[in-house]
Amino acid sequence: MDKAPIIIPVDDVVIDLIPRYLENRRGDVQALRAAIAQGDFDTIRRLGHSMKGSGGGYGLEAVTDMGRGLEEAGKAQDGDAAGQWLEKLEDFLERVQVIPE
């Protein structure tokens, strides 16, 4: 998998808020990993729904897209799909770098 940085220009208004937002998503990774292992599809759906709603507000459309995928996987009770979306989220969080627009 490509490990090049994902550079995303974001609005100056939110740039200072993004490190905490991303750290919270890293916390979600841990919760999602546990939920997938336990077959807790409601938690997968709920966390995905939250990400879907919040990513765009920070200029992170990729988080919105991954949240949508996780929400749908949770609704469908599809652990394999949830695991794939989790891998994408982890990769994104490892590589993302935000810069001012």
Side-chain angles (χ1 to χ4, degrees):
M1 194 176 290
D2 184 14
K3 294 298 177 190
I6 300 169
I7 305 210
I8 301 176
V10 295
D11 192 298
D12 289 345
V13 174
V14 296
I15 198 160
D16 292 337
L17 303 174
I18 290 179
R20 182 176 174 128
Y21 177 78
L22 293 174
E23 191 57 37
N24 288 337
R25 299 303 63 80
R26 289 179 186 98
D28 289 346
V29 164
Q30 301 306 317
L32 284 162
R33 188 175 289 123
I36 291 168
Q38 297 166 4
D40 182 354
F41 295 105
D42 188 55
T43 295
I44 296 166
R45 180 200 55 75
R46 183 177 45 77
L47 289 171
H49 180 78
S50 176
M51 280 185 245
K52 179 180 83 172
S54 65
Y58 291 89
L60 302 172
E61 296 301 329
V63 174
T64 295
D65 294 341
M66 288 177 260
R68 183 177 296 111
L70 284 160
E71 181 182 27
E72 292 302 317
K75 285 180 182 177
Q77 298 191 0
D78 186 339
D80 290 339
Q84 291 171 1
W85 283 110
L86 176 59
E87 285 179 22
K88 290 178 185 191
L89 177 62
E90 288 178 297
D91 180 63
F92 176 82
L93 291 171
E94 285 178 16
R95 297 171 43 210
V96 68
Q97 295 179 12
V98 295
I99 59 171
E101 281 184 318

